[in-house]
Amino acid sequence: MVESQDGTLFVVSRRGVQVTPTHLGYLTEENTFRTLGFQVFEVDLSTNKWSKIQNLGNRSLFLGFNSSLSVDASSNSQCKPNCIYFTDDFVDSYWYLADEEYVEARGKDTGIYNMKDGSIEPFFETNPFHPFNPLMWLEQWF
């Protein structure tokens, strides 16, 4: 769930596929997750109905393990409008540091999803992996 600055409430569903790490030369029983896309629904609390939306307009949504937020992209030139920024939420890969199987998965399911054309692009030029913490969104409050 994400609430925008104007009070609009969104429910976001992440679509993906399980990926089995194979870098050790054998298949493991542990799976990771790779994001393929998102579905966004606007919630009308007065009628208790959800409406699927195809366009976020000037909004950018930020989704992650620690928090989710909505940003007006027209007032922030750093954000792309009509996009969903997402971080890797497969936190098990961070909690089981000794398991070599998780090395392939840590911090890699991140990107920017374009609502218009369904494309996903990276938002890091290098691998964002940190051995102890998943990526987090920080929101500036004034």
Side-chain angles (χ1 to χ4, degrees), residues 113-129:
Y113 175 76
N114 186 312
M115 289 283 290
K116 182 177 181 179
D117 63 15
S119 64
I120 296 176
E121 65 178 276
F123 59 80
F124 288 108
E125 292 180 16
T126 60
N127 185 353
F129 166 72

Side-chain angles (χ1 to χ4, degrees), residues 21 50 54 58 64 73-74 82 90 92-93 114 116-117 123 132 135:
W50 296 13
Q54 305 293 330
N58 280 328
S74 64
N82 200 29
F90 183 61
D92 287 356
S93 67
N114 186 312
K116 182 177 181 179
D117 63 15
F123 59 80
F132 303 114
L135 298 170

Side-chain angles (χ1 to χ4, degrees), residues 82-99:
N82 200 29
C83 287
I84 299 174
Y85 291 72
F86 63 96
T87 62
D88 192 347
D89 61 356
F90 183 61
V91 294
D92 287 356
S93 67
Y94 294 91
W95 293 338
Y96 301 107
L97 296 176
D99 293 346

